[in-house]
Amino acid sequence: MRTAMHCSADAPDAQRRALANAANLLGDDTVPLSGLVVVFNGDGVHAVRADSPVADDVRGLLARTPEETNSPEAPTIEVCACSNSLAARDVAEDELVYGVDVVSSGMGELTRRQADGYGYIKVP
C-alpha cells in the first residue's frame, strides 16, 4: 500500500500536524505501507525551507528507519516541493531541507502518484 499526502497549509501548526499525520501513518503497524510521499505546494512549501519552524520535523520524517516504522521492510519516504510554488514565493532549491525533492508541479506529482496506485490524503 502506498500513500500520497498533500499539504498546502501556510501555518506552522498546520504543517506540523500534517507531518505528525505522516509519522503516525508510518507508526501504524496495521497498515502494510510500502511507500509514502508528502507533497507540499502553495504556501505549504515554506514548511520545507531549511530555516522553517518545522524543518526538524521534515528532517525527522526523512530519517525514519525500519525499526521506527514498525516494518521489516521500511517504506520509501519522500518529501516533495512544487517548483511552481517555490518560484512564485522566490524560494531557491538550495534553501530547502536536505533530501526534499523538487517536482515540476505539486498537482502533477499528485496526479502521477494516484495514477500509479497511491492513495490520496489531504493534510491537515
Side-chain angles (χ1 to χ4, degrees):
M1 185 176 312
R2 298 177 298 173
T3 300
M5 295 180 140
H6 171 212
C7 180
S8 58
D10 61 350
D13 286 344
Q15 295 165 347
R16 189 168 282 113
R17 281 194 312 274
L19 292 161
N21 285 329
N24 289 341
L25 177 60
L26 287 166
D28 185 344
D29 60 0
T30 67
V31 180
L33 195 65
S34 62
L36 172 66
V37 62
V38 184
V39 177
F40 289 90
N41 81 318
D43 287 330
V45 297
H46 292 295
V48 297
R49 291 177 63 135
D51 63 352
S52 86
V54 299
D56 285 340
D57 297 276
V58 174
R59 288 182 192 97
L61 183 63
L62 287 168
R64 296 295 296 258
T65 65
E67 295 77 24
E68 292 173 316
T69 60
N70 294 321
S71 172
E73 293 182 20
T76 59
I77 301 170
E78 300 169 80
V79 176
C80 300
C82 170
S83 65
N84 295 324
S85 298
L86 293 172
R89 288 153 185 82
D90 294 319
V91 178
E93 288 186 33
D94 64 358
E95 295 178 60
L96 304 181
V97 169
Y98 178 78
V100 171
D101 297 321
V102 176
V103 296
S104 59
S105 72
M107 295 298 97
E109 187 66 16
L110 290 165
T111 299
R112 282 188 290 278
R113 296 296 178 131
Q114 289 178 76
D116 287 341
Y118 280 69
Y120 171 83
I121 301 172
K122 174 73 169 123
V123 289

